[in-house]
Amino acid sequence: MSIKNFADQNVNYSAVILNPTLESDWLKIKELQKSEFVFVSDQIESQIGDLIKSENPERTIPSQELDDLVQNFLNKLEKDKYGNWVFFLGKILWYMF
């Protein structure tokens, strides 16, 4: 299984990295997406835009052209299965004063 847990005792979270190309991870992603307690912050389009800009440092790409390039990039793949998904698990701490 590709799930990797990272926990730091000094920080109040841990991260689970899921690879959507693996069936077991994909099923977990779909399960998490259905949860009312999970907030999905999908940043893949802006990340692909940053990738495209980094590959073209010699010019400033106009916003509409960048949007078109991002869509062309995404047309070649299944968006939800591109890259890894990271699920952050929060810890609730109670402090007594």
Side-chain angles (χ1 to χ4, degrees):
M1 179 174 267
S2 75
I3 297 175
K4 298 175 187 170
N5 287 302
F6 298 94
D8 182 336
Q9 298 303 317
N10 298 319
V11 180
N12 299 320
Y13 70 88
S14 63
V16 178
I17 300 174
L18 301 168
N19 179 345
T21 62
L22 299 175
E23 184 65 22
S24 61
D25 284 7
W26 180 243
L27 293 173
K28 185 66 176 172
I29 289 167
K30 298 314 279 178
E31 179 184 332
L32 289 167
Q33 287 177 323
K34 292 177 187 177
S35 172
E36 66 182 278
F37 301 106
V38 173
F39 170 76
V40 176
S41 177
D42 184 356
Q43 300 295 317
I44 194 66
E45 290 182 16
S46 66
Q47 292 173 352
I48 292 169
D50 290 342
L51 172 66
I52 291 168
K53 288 189 284 187
S54 73
E55 292 175 339
N56 296 279
E58 70 284 351
R59 69 186 199 101
T60 301
I61 302 172
S63 179
Q64 184 57 52
E65 182 183 353
L66 183 60
D67 290 345
D68 293 342
L69 290 169
V70 168
Q71 289 311 309
N72 288 339
F73 184 96
L74 290 171
N75 287 339
K76 300 173 190 170
L77 50 91
E78 190 174 347
K79 178 182 169 185
D80 285 347
K81 291 194 174 181
Y82 178 73
N84 288 317
W85 287 68
V86 180
F87 177 66
F88 292 95
L89 304 166
K91 296 178 186 175
I92 299 173
L93 299 177
W94 295 93
Y95 293 99
M96 301 291 287
F97 294 100

XYZ file of all heavy atoms in Angstrom:
808
model
N 0.847 -1.173 0.000
C 0.000 0.000 0.000
C 0.890 1.232 0.000
O 1.914 1.270 0.643
C -0.909 -0.035 1.218
C -1.833 1.150 1.332
S -3.002 0.983 2.682
C -4.337 0.259 1.772
N 0.481 2.260 -0.724
C 1.333 3.438 -0.856
C 1.101 4.470 0.231
O 1.733 5.507 0.227
C 1.093 4.097 -2.211
O -0.129 4.772 -2.181
N 0.199 4.214 1.142
C -0.103 5.209 2.159
C 1.106 5.395 3.071
O 1.658 4.447 3.596
C -1.330 4.806 2.994
C -2.563 4.727 2.093
C -1.563 5.775 4.134
C -3.792 4.229 2.793
N 1.506 6.636 3.205
C 2.628 6.964 4.074
C 2.131 7.941 5.116
O 1.474 8.915 4.803
C 3.750 7.603 3.260
C 4.310 6.697 2.191
C 5.327 7.425 1.363
C 5.744 6.551 0.202
N 6.554 7.256 -0.767
N 2.429 7.680 6.337
C 2.020 8.578 7.419
C 3.235 9.343 7.928
O 4.282 8.759 8.147
C 1.413 7.792 8.585
C 0.051 7.266 8.254
O -0.838 8.033 7.935
N -0.114 5.968 8.311
N 3.061 10.622 8.066
C 4.100 11.457 8.628
C 3.512 12.134 9.852
O 2.510 12.820 9.760
C 4.540 12.524 7.624
C 5.123 11.950 6.369
C 4.329 11.746 5.259
C 6.452 11.592 6.307
C 4.855 11.216 4.100
C 6.984 11.063 5.157
C 6.191 10.872 4.043
N 4.115 11.944 10.986
C 3.607 12.584 12.193
C 4.771 13.202 12.942
O 5.851 12.643 13.003
C 2.889 11.576 13.076
N 4.540 14.344 13.475
C 5.536 15.043 14.269
C 4.886 15.342 15.613
O 3.842 15.990 15.665
C 5.934 16.337 13.555
C 7.003 17.111 14.293
O 7.131 16.945 15.529
O 7.696 17.896 13.653
N 5.486 14.888 16.667
C 4.895 15.064 17.987
C 4.788 16.536 18.385
O 4.021 16.885 19.250
C 5.705 14.290 19.036
C 5.718 12.798 18.801
C 4.315 12.201 18.764
O 3.468 12.544 19.578
N 4.056 11.328 17.815
N 5.575 17.403 17.746
C 5.537 18.821 18.074
C 4.498 19.587 17.261
O 4.291 20.766 17.470
C 6.916 19.443 17.854
C 7.949 18.814 18.756
O 7.676 18.552 19.919
N 9.115 18.534 18.229
N 3.884 18.920 16.294
C 2.905 19.556 15.425
C 1.602 18.795 15.565
O 1.594 17.595 15.786
C 3.395 19.538 13.955
C 2.400 20.197 13.042
C 4.748 20.207 13.844
N 0.495 19.477 15.433
C -0.801 18.881 15.678
C -1.474 18.358 14.404
O -2.646 18.604 14.184
C -1.710 19.888 16.384
C -1.136 20.284 17.714
O -0.602 19.455 18.424
N -1.234 21.547 18.040
N -0.744 17.687 13.557
C -1.307 17.090 12.372
C -0.435 15.935 11.907
O 0.701 15.778 12.329
C -1.437 18.107 11.227
C -0.091 18.506 10.659
C 0.501 17.786 9.636
C 0.597 19.604 11.167
C 1.746 18.137 9.138
C 1.831 19.961 10.673
C 2.397 19.225 9.653
O 3.623 19.576 9.158
N -0.995 15.137 11.046
C -0.203 14.156 10.315
C -0.749 14.145 8.898
O -1.869 14.591 8.644
C -0.285 12.767 10.962
O -1.600 12.283 10.931
N 0.023 13.674 7.963
C -0.387 13.676 6.563
C -0.380 12.249 6.025
O 0.516 11.469 6.332
C 0.564 14.541 5.741
N -1.388 11.953 5.234
C -1.464 10.670 4.545
C -1.373 10.975 3.057
O -2.159 11.766 2.521
C -2.800 9.951 4.864
C -2.889 8.637 4.095
C -2.944 9.714 6.356
N -0.402 10.381 2.384
C -0.212 10.595 0.957
C -0.798 9.407 0.213
O -0.426 8.266 0.472
C 1.280 10.777 0.611
C 1.826 11.987 1.364
C 1.462 10.942 -0.901
C 3.315 12.182 1.223
N -1.722 9.707 -0.707
C -2.410 8.657 -1.460
C -2.090 8.785 -2.942
O -2.140 9.877 -3.517
C -3.925 8.775 -1.245
C -4.393 8.674 0.206
C -5.843 9.097 0.329
C -4.207 7.264 0.721
N -1.771 7.667 -3.561
C -1.458 7.618 -4.984
C -2.702 7.112 -5.716
O -3.030 5.926 -5.633
C -0.273 6.688 -5.223
C 0.093 6.579 -6.674
O -0.659 6.956 -7.559
N 1.268 6.043 -6.941
N -3.395 7.971 -6.471
C -4.648 7.572 -7.101
C -4.496 6.545 -8.220
O -5.494 5.995 -8.672
C -5.217 8.888 -7.635
C -4.036 9.751 -7.847
C -3.051 9.359 -6.769
N -3.284 6.265 -8.647
C -3.104 5.235 -9.674
C -3.129 3.832 -9.074
O -3.185 2.855 -9.812
C -1.795 5.440 -10.471
O -0.683 5.329 -9.581
C -1.784 6.805 -11.153
N -3.096 3.760 -7.736
C -3.224 2.471 -7.051
C -4.678 2.295 -6.618
O -5.251 3.184 -5.981
C -2.302 2.409 -5.836
C -0.815 2.555 -6.122
C -0.036 2.607 -4.823
C -0.334 1.400 -6.987
N -5.263 1.180 -6.951
C -6.690 0.957 -6.691
C -7.059 1.146 -5.220
O -8.064 1.783 -4.901
C -7.099 -0.443 -7.164
C -8.574 -0.717 -7.028
C -9.466 0.157 -7.905
O -8.993 0.701 -8.927
O -10.642 0.304 -7.559
N -6.255 0.626 -4.306
C -6.575 0.744 -2.877
C -6.578 2.211 -2.439
O -7.435 2.637 -1.661
C -5.604 -0.076 -2.028
O -4.284 0.383 -2.211
N -5.622 2.989 -2.928
C -5.573 4.413 -2.589
C -6.734 5.163 -3.242
O -7.324 6.056 -2.641
C -4.248 5.028 -3.024
C -3.099 4.659 -2.107
O -3.284 3.820 -1.207
O -2.004 5.219 -2.299
N -7.058 4.794 -4.487
C -8.156 5.457 -5.182
C -9.476 5.245 -4.434
O -10.269 6.179 -4.280
C -8.260 4.961 -6.615
C -9.368 5.600 -7.384
C -10.456 4.986 -7.925
C -9.519 6.986 -7.716
N -11.268 5.894 -8.544
C -10.713 7.135 -8.442
C -8.755 8.123 -7.446
C -11.164 8.361 -8.904
C -9.206 9.354 -7.926
C -10.393 9.457 -8.636
N -9.697 4.047 -3.944
C -10.913 3.769 -3.175
C -10.951 4.597 -1.892
O -12.012 5.092 -1.495
C -11.016 2.276 -2.868
C -11.229 1.366 -4.082
C -11.149 -0.097 -3.671
C -12.553 1.674 -4.763
N -9.795 4.775 -1.246
C -9.723 5.590 -0.034
C -10.011 7.058 -0.354
O -10.724 7.745 0.396
C -8.356 5.427 0.633
C -8.228 6.125 1.951
C -9.146 5.500 2.978
C -8.966 6.133 4.342
N -9.966 5.677 5.296
N -9.487 7.558 -1.473
C -9.737 8.938 -1.888
C -11.235 9.150 -2.102
O -11.813 10.128 -1.623
C -8.957 9.280 -3.183
C -7.464 9.367 -2.886
C -9.459 10.586 -3.803
C -6.576 9.384 -4.121
N -11.869 8.227 -2.810
C -13.308 8.348 -3.071
C -14.098 8.315 -1.761
O -15.061 9.057 -1.600
C -13.788 7.240 -4.016
C -13.152 7.264 -5.398
C -13.108 8.628 -6.035
C -14.373 9.056 -6.687
N -14.317 10.417 -7.263
N -13.667 7.484 -0.827
C -14.319 7.413 0.482
C -14.168 8.742 1.237
O -15.126 9.263 1.811
C -13.707 6.274 1.289
C -14.257 6.104 2.675
C -13.521 5.020 3.448
O -12.992 4.081 2.844
O -13.479 5.144 4.685
N -12.967 9.298 1.230
C -12.718 10.564 1.917
C -13.521 11.703 1.294
O -14.033 12.571 2.011
C -11.228 10.894 1.900
C -10.343 10.022 2.788
C -8.876 10.227 2.443
C -10.606 10.311 4.254
N -13.649 11.713 -0.026
C -14.392 12.772 -0.708
C -15.864 12.789 -0.304
O -16.508 13.830 -0.349
C -14.289 12.624 -2.228
C -12.929 12.997 -2.771
C -12.836 12.762 -4.265
O -13.380 11.810 -4.802
N -12.147 13.657 -4.954
N -16.396 11.656 0.099
C -17.802 11.558 0.485
C -18.056 12.032 1.912
O -19.188 12.303 2.282
C -18.284 10.109 0.351
C -18.349 9.628 -1.069
C -18.770 8.172 -1.111
C -18.683 7.610 -2.514
N -19.021 6.181 -2.538
N -17.007 12.143 2.699
C -17.160 12.494 4.105
C -17.542 13.960 4.275
O -16.962 14.844 3.641
C -15.861 12.226 4.870
O -15.956 12.745 6.178
N -18.494 14.215 5.158
C -18.881 15.588 5.453
C -17.827 16.297 6.298
O -17.874 17.516 6.466
C -20.231 15.622 6.170
C -20.203 14.985 7.553
C -21.558 14.989 8.226
O -21.919 16.037 8.798
O -22.236 13.948 8.161
N -16.866 15.563 6.823
C -15.829 16.137 7.672
C -14.538 16.431 6.916
O -13.554 16.858 7.512
C -15.526 15.197 8.840
C -16.733 14.919 9.682
C -17.368 13.700 9.612
C -17.252 15.899 10.518
C -18.501 13.443 10.369
C -18.381 15.662 11.279
C -19.007 14.426 11.207
N -14.544 16.187 5.607
C -13.346 16.398 4.793
C -13.563 17.597 3.882
O -14.580 17.705 3.201
C -13.030 15.141 3.949
C -11.898 15.418 2.980
C -12.680 13.972 4.858
N -12.610 18.511 3.893
C -12.616 19.670 3.007
C -11.569 19.417 1.931
O -10.409 19.153 2.244
C -12.276 20.947 3.789
C -12.027 22.128 2.906
C -13.079 22.794 2.303
C -10.740 22.554 2.670
C -12.844 23.881 1.474
C -10.492 23.646 1.847
C -11.553 24.300 1.252
N -11.976 19.482 0.675
C -11.047 19.274 -0.433
C -10.609 20.633 -0.954
O -11.431 21.457 -1.353
C -11.700 18.447 -1.569
C -10.749 18.337 -2.757
C -12.096 17.071 -1.068
N -9.319 20.855 -0.939
C -8.736 22.074 -1.494
C -7.976 21.669 -2.749
O -6.812 21.268 -2.692
C -7.790 22.726 -0.481
O -7.177 23.861 -1.050
N -8.657 21.734 -3.878
C -8.094 21.277 -5.148
C -7.298 22.413 -5.783
O -7.870 23.381 -6.284
C -9.221 20.824 -6.073
C -8.726 20.249 -7.382
O -7.505 20.270 -7.629
O -9.559 19.779 -8.167
N -5.993 22.291 -5.763
C -5.106 23.323 -6.281
C -4.370 22.872 -7.544
O -3.426 23.532 -7.973
C -4.086 23.714 -5.205
C -4.714 24.260 -3.936
C -5.432 25.566 -4.172
O -4.930 26.440 -4.863
N -6.624 25.695 -3.602
N -4.795 21.754 -8.127
C -4.026 21.168 -9.219
C -3.926 22.097 -10.430
O -2.873 22.180 -11.061
C -4.562 19.758 -9.601
C -3.559 19.016 -10.487
C -5.916 19.840 -10.272
C -2.271 18.677 -9.802
N -4.991 22.822 -10.755
C -4.927 23.703 -11.921
C -3.920 24.830 -11.719
O -3.145 25.136 -12.632
C -6.314 24.241 -12.261
C -7.221 23.148 -12.800
C -8.599 23.629 -13.199
O -8.790 24.864 -13.358
O -9.477 22.775 -13.366
N -3.888 25.423 -10.545
C -2.904 26.489 -10.299
C -1.490 25.907 -10.249
O -0.534 26.555 -10.687
C -3.223 27.263 -9.028
O -3.094 26.454 -7.888
N -1.348 24.689 -9.737
C -0.029 24.057 -9.701
C 0.463 23.744 -11.118
O 1.641 23.929 -11.422
C -0.075 22.789 -8.858
C -0.286 23.078 -7.391
C -0.494 21.822 -6.559
O -0.621 20.718 -7.077
N -0.543 21.994 -5.253
N -0.442 23.289 -11.980
C -0.059 23.035 -13.374
C 0.285 24.355 -14.052
O 1.241 24.426 -14.837
C -1.179 22.279 -14.112
C -1.295 20.855 -13.547
C -0.916 22.248 -15.621
C -2.515 20.093 -14.004
N -0.468 25.411 -13.750
C -0.143 26.734 -14.285
C 1.253 27.172 -13.873
O 2.018 27.695 -14.692
N 1.593 26.949 -12.611
C 2.944 27.278 -12.138
C 3.993 26.443 -12.857
O 5.078 26.940 -13.189
C 3.052 27.076 -10.630
C 2.278 28.106 -9.838
O 1.926 29.170 -10.391
O 2.006 27.841 -8.643
N 3.692 25.178 -13.095
C 4.618 24.311 -13.834
C 4.847 24.856 -15.239
O 5.990 24.961 -15.701
C 4.063 22.883 -13.901
C 4.821 21.907 -14.788
C 6.214 21.646 -14.241
C 4.036 20.602 -14.918
N 3.765 25.225 -15.920
C 3.867 25.761 -17.282
C 4.682 27.053 -17.278
O 5.558 27.246 -18.140
C 2.467 25.971 -17.880
C 1.801 24.611 -18.122
C 2.530 26.791 -19.169
C 0.323 24.670 -18.444
N 4.429 27.939 -16.313
C 5.197 29.190 -16.244
C 6.672 28.917 -15.979
O 7.540 29.588 -16.555
C 4.620 30.106 -15.164
C 3.281 30.707 -15.546
C 2.823 31.776 -14.577
C 2.300 31.183 -13.306
N 1.685 32.185 -12.400
N 6.958 27.921 -15.146
C 8.367 27.617 -14.848
C 9.088 27.032 -16.053
O 10.309 27.141 -16.158
C 8.476 26.667 -13.649
O 8.091 25.355 -14.002
N 8.337 26.411 -16.943
C 8.933 25.861 -18.169
C 9.103 26.922 -19.250
O 9.700 26.654 -20.285
C 8.072 24.710 -18.691
C 8.096 23.492 -17.779
C 7.145 22.382 -18.212
O 6.178 22.663 -18.959
O 7.369 21.243 -17.794
N 8.573 28.115 -19.025
C 8.659 29.218 -19.983
C 9.112 30.498 -19.279
O 8.409 31.516 -19.314
C 7.284 29.443 -20.636
C 6.837 28.261 -21.452
O 7.252 28.090 -22.587
N 5.997 27.422 -20.859
N 10.281 30.472 -18.638
C 10.704 31.626 -17.836
C 11.036 32.867 -18.667
O 11.098 33.966 -18.125
C 11.957 31.109 -17.116
C 12.499 30.058 -18.024
C 11.275 29.408 -18.639
N 11.203 32.688 -19.966
C 11.597 33.806 -20.813
C 10.438 34.745 -21.160
O 10.654 35.802 -21.728
C 12.247 33.289 -22.109
C 11.298 32.596 -23.091
C 10.889 31.177 -22.699
O 11.449 30.606 -21.743
O 9.989 30.644 -23.358
N 9.204 34.360 -20.790
C 8.081 35.226 -21.149
C 6.991 35.207 -20.091
O 6.892 34.287 -19.288
C 7.497 34.841 -22.505
C 6.786 33.523 -22.544
C 6.366 33.175 -23.988
N 5.330 32.171 -24.043
C 4.047 32.407 -24.256
N 3.626 33.640 -24.435
N 3.173 31.429 -24.305
N 6.189 36.256 -20.114
C 5.015 36.336 -19.251
C 3.829 35.835 -20.063
O 3.522 36.388 -21.119
C 4.773 37.785 -18.790
O 5.926 38.231 -18.079
C 3.552 37.868 -17.902
N 3.180 34.803 -19.574
C 2.060 34.206 -20.298
C 0.769 34.907 -19.857
O 0.451 34.920 -18.662
C 1.973 32.693 -20.020
C 3.283 32.004 -20.415
C 0.792 32.071 -20.761
C 3.372 30.547 -19.996
N 0.032 35.477 -20.809
C -1.236 36.121 -20.450
C -2.195 35.129 -19.790
O -2.172 33.933 -20.082
C -1.790 36.610 -21.798
C -0.604 36.672 -22.703
C 0.337 35.587 -22.227
N -3.033 35.633 -18.907
C -3.923 34.810 -18.099
C -4.780 33.859 -18.940
O -4.879 32.666 -18.623
C -4.813 35.718 -17.255
O -5.691 34.956 -16.476
N -5.416 34.354 -19.978
C -6.294 33.503 -20.799
C -5.486 32.411 -21.503
O -5.911 31.267 -21.587
C -7.065 34.334 -21.828
C -8.064 33.512 -22.629
C -9.087 32.792 -21.751
O -9.732 33.416 -20.917
N -9.222 31.490 -21.911
N -4.314 32.760 -21.993
C -3.461 31.764 -22.646
C -3.016 30.692 -21.647
O -3.008 29.498 -21.964
C -2.235 32.422 -23.275
C -1.338 31.431 -24.004
C -0.077 32.059 -24.581
O 0.060 33.296 -24.536
O 0.769 31.290 -25.064
N -2.676 31.122 -20.430
C -2.273 30.175 -19.394
C -3.431 29.230 -19.067
O -3.236 28.019 -18.951
C -1.797 30.904 -18.141
C -1.280 30.010 -17.020
C -0.082 29.187 -17.482
C -0.920 30.845 -15.800
N -4.641 29.782 -18.948
C -5.817 28.942 -18.699
C -5.990 27.905 -19.807
O -6.285 26.735 -19.540
C -7.089 29.790 -18.593
C -7.142 30.639 -17.334
O -6.341 30.376 -16.394
O -7.967 31.569 -17.287
N -5.800 28.336 -21.052
C -5.921 27.412 -22.193
C -4.841 26.336 -22.149
O -5.118 25.157 -22.413
C -5.835 28.176 -23.516
C -7.033 29.094 -23.745
O -8.078 28.901 -23.091
O -6.900 30.011 -24.591
N -3.615 26.719 -21.791
C -2.523 25.753 -21.709
C -2.778 24.742 -20.590
O -2.497 23.549 -20.751
C -1.192 26.477 -21.482
C -0.672 27.288 -22.664
C 0.492 28.173 -22.236
C -0.276 26.376 -23.815
N -3.318 25.200 -19.482
C -3.655 24.298 -18.374
C -4.726 23.311 -18.831
O -4.614 22.107 -18.588
C -4.108 25.084 -17.120
C -4.730 24.162 -16.091
C -2.937 25.849 -16.518
N -5.765 23.810 -19.490
C -6.834 22.919 -19.968
C -6.304 21.912 -20.993
O -6.688 20.742 -20.965
C -7.994 23.723 -20.550
C -8.787 24.467 -19.504
C -9.182 23.598 -18.314
O -9.743 22.516 -18.463
N -8.854 24.061 -17.116
N -5.415 22.345 -21.880
C -4.803 21.423 -22.845
C -4.014 20.336 -22.129
O -4.037 19.173 -22.523
C -3.900 22.172 -23.826
C -4.688 22.993 -24.821
O -5.869 22.752 -25.056
N -4.048 23.991 -25.394
N -3.303 20.731 -21.078
C -2.541 19.776 -20.278
C -3.474 18.753 -19.644
O -3.241 17.548 -19.696
C -1.760 20.533 -19.191
C -0.851 19.682 -18.365
C 0.487 19.566 -18.681
C -1.326 19.003 -17.248
C 1.341 18.784 -17.908
C -0.490 18.218 -16.467
C 0.852 18.108 -16.807
N -4.576 19.253 -19.061
C -5.522 18.363 -18.376
C -6.318 17.486 -19.336
O -6.767 16.402 -18.945
C -6.472 19.189 -17.503
C -5.838 19.821 -16.271
C -6.804 20.794 -15.617
C -5.396 18.746 -15.287
N -6.492 17.936 -20.569
C -7.236 17.135 -21.547
C -6.527 15.821 -21.865
O -7.152 14.890 -22.357
C -7.460 17.925 -22.835
C -8.493 19.015 -22.670
O -9.317 18.973 -21.768
N -8.428 20.012 -23.535
N -5.244 15.757 -21.581
C -4.444 14.571 -21.902
C -4.451 13.532 -20.792
O -3.843 12.481 -20.921
C -2.993 14.983 -22.191
C -2.849 15.943 -23.339
C -1.424 16.440 -23.453
C -1.342 17.584 -24.436
N -0.041 18.242 -24.396
N -5.130 13.811 -19.685
C -5.095 12.892 -18.547
C -6.378 12.979 -17.741
O -7.227 13.819 -17.988
C -3.887 13.198 -17.652
C -3.674 14.656 -17.234
C -4.375 14.965 -15.944
C -2.194 14.915 -17.112
N -6.502 12.104 -16.768
C -7.629 12.131 -15.851
C -7.227 12.981 -14.643
O -6.375 12.578 -13.847
C -7.992 10.711 -15.417
C -9.273 10.620 -14.657
C -9.685 9.183 -14.371
O -9.116 8.250 -14.969
O -10.570 9.016 -13.524
N -7.842 14.150 -14.522
C -7.435 15.147 -13.520
C -7.341 14.569 -12.109
O -6.373 14.822 -11.396
C -8.410 16.312 -13.549
C -8.119 17.390 -12.532
C -9.165 18.489 -12.589
C -9.023 19.407 -11.410
N -10.082 20.408 -11.375
N -8.341 13.817 -11.699
C -8.350 13.295 -10.325
C -7.274 12.252 -10.066
O -6.993 11.924 -8.917
C -9.715 12.696 -9.982
C -10.762 13.752 -9.723
O -10.395 14.939 -9.557
O -11.945 13.397 -9.671
N -6.684 11.727 -11.139
C -5.655 10.700 -10.946
C -4.255 11.202 -11.298
O -3.323 10.425 -11.412
C -6.003 9.449 -11.758
C -7.225 8.744 -11.192
C -7.390 7.367 -11.755
C -8.529 6.656 -11.058
N -8.700 5.302 -11.573
N -4.115 12.512 -11.449
C -2.812 13.097 -11.737
C -2.165 13.524 -10.427
O -2.754 14.256 -9.638
C -2.959 14.307 -12.670
C -1.652 14.984 -12.978
C -0.733 14.391 -13.831
C -1.320 16.199 -12.390
C 0.474 15.000 -14.110
C -0.107 16.812 -12.661
C 0.782 16.207 -13.517
O 1.994 16.802 -13.789
N -0.964 13.070 -10.170
C -0.251 13.439 -8.948
C -0.753 12.658 -7.752
O -1.482 11.674 -7.878
N -0.357 13.076 -6.586
C -0.776 12.441 -5.335
C -1.777 13.326 -4.609
O -1.786 14.539 -4.779
C 0.426 12.198 -4.419
C 1.312 11.095 -4.926
O 0.837 10.069 -5.370
N 2.613 11.308 -4.858
N -2.583 12.692 -3.790
C -3.512 13.396 -2.907
C -2.909 13.337 -1.509
O -2.392 12.299 -1.096
C -4.870 12.702 -2.900
C -5.675 12.895 -4.144
C -5.401 12.414 -5.389
C -6.891 13.625 -4.268
N -6.367 12.783 -6.265
C -7.305 13.519 -5.608
C -7.677 14.330 -3.373
C -8.468 14.121 -6.072
C -8.839 14.914 -3.845
C -9.220 14.817 -5.180
N -2.994 14.449 -0.786
C -2.488 14.486 0.584
C -3.664 14.818 1.499
O -4.353 15.818 1.307
C -1.364 15.526 0.758
C -0.860 15.528 2.192
C -0.226 15.242 -0.213
N -3.875 13.954 2.464
C -4.951 14.121 3.436
C -4.310 14.436 4.771
O -3.505 13.655 5.271
C -5.784 12.841 3.502
C -6.872 12.868 4.527
C -7.942 13.737 4.415
C -6.829 12.020 5.618
C -8.944 13.766 5.361
C -7.825 12.027 6.576
C -8.888 12.910 6.442
N -4.644 15.596 5.329
C -4.083 16.006 6.608
C -5.042 15.643 7.725
O -6.215 16.011 7.689
C -3.802 17.513 6.626
C -2.705 17.902 5.697
C -2.989 18.352 4.415
C -1.384 17.810 6.093
C -1.974 18.699 3.536
C -0.363 18.158 5.231
C -0.662 18.603 3.952
N -4.526 14.931 8.697
C -5.316 14.532 9.853
C -5.015 15.491 10.987
O -3.867 15.613 11.410
C -4.954 13.101 10.276
C -5.099 12.038 9.203
C -4.395 10.759 9.629
C -6.560 11.771 8.941
N -6.023 16.162 11.474
C -5.830 17.108 12.571
C -6.057 16.446 13.921
O -6.800 15.490 14.036
N -5.394 16.949 14.920
C -5.573 16.486 16.285
C -6.243 17.600 17.081
O -5.877 18.757 16.969
C -4.232 16.158 16.936
C -3.501 15.017 16.258
C -2.168 14.805 16.928
C -1.358 13.768 16.182
N -0.022 13.627 16.729
N -7.228 17.248 17.853
C -7.908 18.217 18.708
C -7.254 18.159 20.077
O -7.175 17.114 20.695
C -9.410 17.922 18.813
C -10.044 18.003 17.428
C -10.077 18.872 19.791
C -11.482 17.568 17.387
N -6.773 19.285 20.526
C -6.121 19.353 21.835
C -6.987 20.163 22.772
O -7.547 21.194 22.417
C -4.741 20.018 21.704
C -3.742 19.318 20.808
C -2.473 20.145 20.726
C -3.425 17.938 21.343
N -7.113 19.690 23.984
C -7.861 20.400 25.017
C -6.871 20.928 26.036
O -6.019 20.202 26.525
C -8.854 19.455 25.711
C -9.909 18.968 24.790
C -9.908 17.823 24.058
C -11.119 19.641 24.460
N -11.034 17.720 23.316
C -11.810 18.826 23.543
C -11.697 20.841 24.849
C -13.038 19.194 23.017
C -12.921 21.182 24.326
C -13.575 20.372 23.424
N -6.986 22.184 26.312
C -6.112 22.809 27.302
C -6.945 23.195 28.510
O -7.993 23.805 28.370
C -5.418 24.040 26.732
C -4.429 23.724 25.650
C -4.770 23.851 24.311
C -3.164 23.267 25.975
C -3.867 23.556 23.307
C -2.247 22.964 24.979
C -2.598 23.114 23.651
O -1.711 22.809 22.678
N -6.465 22.882 29.665
C -7.135 23.264 30.902
C -6.368 24.414 31.529
O -5.159 24.335 31.687
C -7.177 22.079 31.880
C -7.878 20.859 31.352
S -9.640 21.074 31.175
C -10.153 21.055 32.870
N -7.062 25.463 31.928
C -6.409 26.616 32.555
C -6.835 26.715 33.990
O -7.889 26.402 34.387
C -6.757 27.925 31.840
C -6.199 27.968 30.460
C -7.003 27.686 29.364
C -4.868 28.303 30.250
C -6.481 27.744 28.094
C -4.349 28.353 28.967
C -5.166 28.065 27.888
